[in-house]
């Protein structure tokens, strides 16, 4: 914030900034924006009734406030949202930026990455479907409260840039989603470069990189276990 504003009093309570823990440290990563890429694995595009051919990537956003991380028990609690009877899991690798800019060149893109995480792009599929059909925005299907359960971040200095490796999600011990990071249609540098032509990217931005096939509904009481090779896993309970 500008120096001149720092000591002004707010007229309403100051919103609490969203942060992600950095694994293995006491440090935190402040979140600025949450970009999400759609249909980034061919098998998922097909299961959603779309052509898997490579066309320009498309994006939507969640709100930083939608992020929910593990509590003291080590598990993430996902409250089943209102207004839906068809809430789907989408496991995704998350890219966290330490810097940004506009029109970032492909071969420079990875220098902007701070680290990686894993998480869920939880989706009110019934509402998303209604909005698609009506040609309306997706927010009510995608950017609802608690719609982005996430792990902490693992810095690039520890793991490099994972571009291959297993991605899976189990529900109540049964494998529902299974894929490999090498199946992404748009790779991480391409996503960063393309996005930076549409938005000025900045430190704190996250990119949820799309989900492999096998998306499906959860109900209250379900236990999800997710894993992204090279990054780690998480447990998430639907409450
Ligand atoms: Mn998704």
């Amino acid at each position: 914030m500008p120096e001149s504003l720092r000591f002004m009093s707010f007229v309403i309570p100051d919103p609490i900034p969203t942060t992600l823990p950095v694994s293995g440290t006491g440090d935190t990563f402040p979140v600025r924006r949450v970009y999400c890429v759609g249909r980034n694995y061919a098998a998922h595009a097909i299961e959603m009734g779309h052509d898997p051919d490579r066309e320009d990537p498309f994006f939507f956003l969640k709100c930083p406030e939608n992020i929910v991380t593990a509590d003291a028990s080590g598990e993430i609690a996902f409250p089943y949202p209102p207004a839906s009877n068809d809430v789907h899991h989408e496991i995704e690798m998350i890219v966290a930026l330490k810097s940004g800019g506009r029109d970032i060149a492909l071969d420079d893109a990875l220098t902007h990455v701070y680290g990686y995480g894993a998480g869920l792009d939880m989706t009110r599929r019934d509402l998303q479907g209604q909005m698609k059909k009506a040609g309306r925005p997706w927010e009510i299907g995608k950017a609802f409260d608690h719609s982005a359960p996430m792990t902490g971040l693992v810095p690039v200095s520890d793991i490099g840039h994972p571009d291959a490796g297993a991605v899976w999600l189990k529900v109540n011990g049964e494998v529902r989603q299974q894929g490999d990071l090498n199946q992404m249609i748009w790779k991480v540098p391409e996503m960063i470069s393309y996005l930076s032509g549409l938005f000025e990217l900045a430190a704190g931005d996250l990119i949820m990189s799309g989900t492999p096939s096998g998306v499906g509904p959860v109900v209250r009481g379900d236990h999800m276990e997710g894993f992204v090779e090279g990054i780690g896993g998480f447990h998430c309970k639907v409450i």
Side-chain angles (χ1 to χ4, degrees), residues 8 59 167 186 220 238:
M8 291 179 98
F59 299 91
V167 181
W186 294 93
R220 278 192 190 85
V238 185

Side-chain angles (χ1 to χ4, degrees), residues 37 60 90 92 121 142 210-211:
V37 61
F60 57 90
E90 296 189 0
E92 313 206 353
D121 167 16
K142 287 290 195 179
T211 197

